[in-house]
Amino acid sequence: MDMALDGAIRIFRERGFHATSLGELGAAMNLTAGSIYKAFADKRAVFLAALERYMEIRQASLQRSINAAGSGRDKVLAVLHFYAESAHGVEGERGCLVVGSATDLATFDSEVAGRITAALQRTEKLLADLIRSGHKDGSIPSTVEVASTARLLLSVTQGFRIVGKAGRTRAQMMAAADQAMRLLH
């Protein structure tokens, strides 16, 4: 099932929910339409399962990056670099399922909107916690306001994913992440 959902994630990231046909979804998942309907009620149910898996995979990967960093400042940089790494090359062009869903579905689907809002709130809270950690360990000046800076960094990370769809190099995205760190002075 995970392999099938990984295929669904890829096609939904590339094409969006509305532009993905059942045939394309079946090909991406390596399943027939009948098998899809046996496992899921409809295309929306496949999408919701794919979205959950995508968020779980990304969150686990992000947490590994954070855990490898030392100070609060280094952890914030790890978050920015994590998003910058996702915003270039093939990965960048595929885009982010969360950002794509926010623009494609959230207006019309309250359940998707709730999931997207919760995901963004988790990331904003994570950034706020890392800034506070930097305050405590002295790596981020106490004059850096937590809530508004976390919200700004959230906007930067999600913006990376949008800009990455248009094709950027790794160097460009890493330079942008490093520049964003100046907010923490």
Side-chain angles (χ1 to χ4, degrees):
M1 183 59 72
D2 286 346
M3 286 178 26
L5 285 175
D6 290 345
I9 289 168
R10 183 183 51 75
I11 196 76
F12 283 134
R13 283 178 64 198
E14 290 172 358
R15 301 189 48 79
F17 176 80
H18 293 298
T20 299
S21 71
L22 190 57
E24 291 166 326
L25 190 56
M29 295 177 77
N30 201 25
L31 296 173
T32 65
S35 296
I36 291 173
Y37 284 122
K38 278 184 181 177
F40 301 94
D42 55 18
K43 183 172 99 170
R44 182 178 176 277
V46 175
F47 176 81
L48 291 174
L51 179 62
E52 280 305 312
R53 177 158 169 78
Y54 176 79
M55 290 189 299
E56 288 170 8
I57 290 168
R58 293 275 304 164
Q59 185 61 39
S61 185
L62 174 60
Q63 196 59 56
R64 284 190 297 276
S65 294
I66 292 167
N67 291 345
S71 69
R73 180 181 193 77
D74 291 341
K75 290 177 187 294
V76 171
L77 181 60
V79 171
L80 291 170
H81 279 178
F82 176 82
Y83 279 91
E85 284 290 355
S86 301
H88 67 86
V90 172
E91 183 70 10
E93 290 172 10
R94 280 195 178 132
C96 174
L97 196 55
V98 172
V99 171
S101 300
T103 58
D104 192 28
L105 286 173
T107 304
F108 307 106
D109 188 319
S110 62
E111 184 177 359
V112 172
R115 291 180 188 207
I116 299 305
T117 298
L120 294 174
Q121 287 172 341
R122 279 190 302 273
T123 303
E124 186 174 341
K125 181 185 180 311
L126 170 67
L127 288 162
D129 290 346
L130 296 178
I131 293 167
R132 282 188 202 94
S133 174
H135 285 171
K136 287 180 186 167
D137 69 23
S139 63
I140 297 173
S142 60
T143 55
V144 173
E145 200 279 321
V146 174
S148 61
T149 304
R151 194 166 305 113
L152 177 58
L153 291 173
L154 172 69
S155 300
V156 168
T157 60
Q158 301 312 298
F160 282 174
R161 300 308 304 270
I162 294 169
V163 170
K165 286 285 278 185
R168 290 291 195 257
T169 67
R170 181 180 189 276
Q172 288 171 323
M173 297 313 298
M174 289 305 211
D178 293 340
Q179 185 66 27
M181 286 300 292
R182 291 180 180 233
L183 297 167
L184 303 180
H185 280 79

